[in-house]
Amino acid sequence: NAGVTQTPKFRILKIGQSMTLQCTQDMNHNYMYWYRQDPGMGLKLIYYSVGAGITDKGEVPNGYNVSRSTTEDFPLRLELAAPSQTSVYFCASSNIISSYEQYFGPGTRLTVT
Amino acid sequence: DAKTTQPTSMDCAEGRAANLPCNHSTISGNEYVYWYRQIHSQGPQYIIHGLKNNETNEMASLIITEDRKSSTLILPHATLRDTAVYYCIVRAGITGANSKLTFGKGITLSVRP
């Protein structure tokens, strides 16, 4: 199993551009999450999903959108990128029975200038 | 979810036990204590969790005080690869909808040769 994969690894965006961060998991997990981590800080939850077709906001959803059309994929969309969105983005997944154990992807380092 | 308090940093010598403390004085009866760690530039990794009994797995031991207001993560024989940020997290339940984890700043453990 590849686990949780994220693309791209790095990206530089100009202010006002848009992009989609891709996340795929091959563990058949129902739950998926997007976090952001600013330098020297802990992770903050952006959005999460408890299954295909169901998403909900986390702590810091403004400026982002998500969709969950399949169990495997949970893309994160940034519209009108702003410097405040410069961060490292982590995707994670977990199963229902042991949802406390989240499996994280390697992260996407995004810079908005 | 109850908040946690951890020291900012600590270090220990390679081969010695690393004892990482965490205070969670407002923990509720149904809240578990979880530990994750994040090695530099990687996604967080689950280590261990417990409710009130001490727990041990292949990675670490978790000691929870009788009043459950604090806990200690023990890495019995620290190696250089254990250098990481360790997060103590308190969360209600282990399954279902309460699957979100709230990451604070964690404690930076530096293992010296």
Side-chain angles (χ1 to χ4, degrees), chain B residues 12-84:
Chain B
C12 76
E14 190 176 19
R16 304 298 294 269
N19 298 300
L20 287 69
C22 180
N23 285 322
H24 30 80
S25 59
T26 60
I27 192 169
S28 301
N30 66 341
E31 289 181 317
Y32 287 71
V33 180
Y34 300 87
W35 283 84
Y36 275 70
R37 75 178 181 184
Q38 186 175 22
I39 296 171
H40 182 62
S41 297
Q42 298 181 21
Q45 175 191 24
Y46 163 81
I47 301 173
I48 198 168
H49 76 280
L51 181 62
K52 53 184 178 181
N53 297 323
N54 298 338
E55 302 287 345
T56 296
N57 63 20
E58 64 278 3
M59 290 182 69
S61 295
L62 175 61
I63 308 298
I64 302 175
T65 57
E66 192 169 343
D67 63 7
R68 304 209 321 123
K69 295 186 178 203
S70 65
S71 60
T72 301
L73 179 75
I74 301 173
L75 307 179
H77 305 287
T79 70
L80 298 178
R81 286 176 293 181
D82 292 321
T83 292

Side-chain angles (χ1 to χ4, degrees), chain A residues 31 37 42 97 99-100 102 104, chain B residues 34 36 38 94-96 99 104:
Chain A
Y31 295 165
Q37 184 174 33
I97 301 302
S99 64
Y100 57 84
Q102 296 186 11
F104 284 79
Chain B
Y34 300 87
Y36 275 70
Q38 186 175 22
I94 59 173
T95 67
S99 60

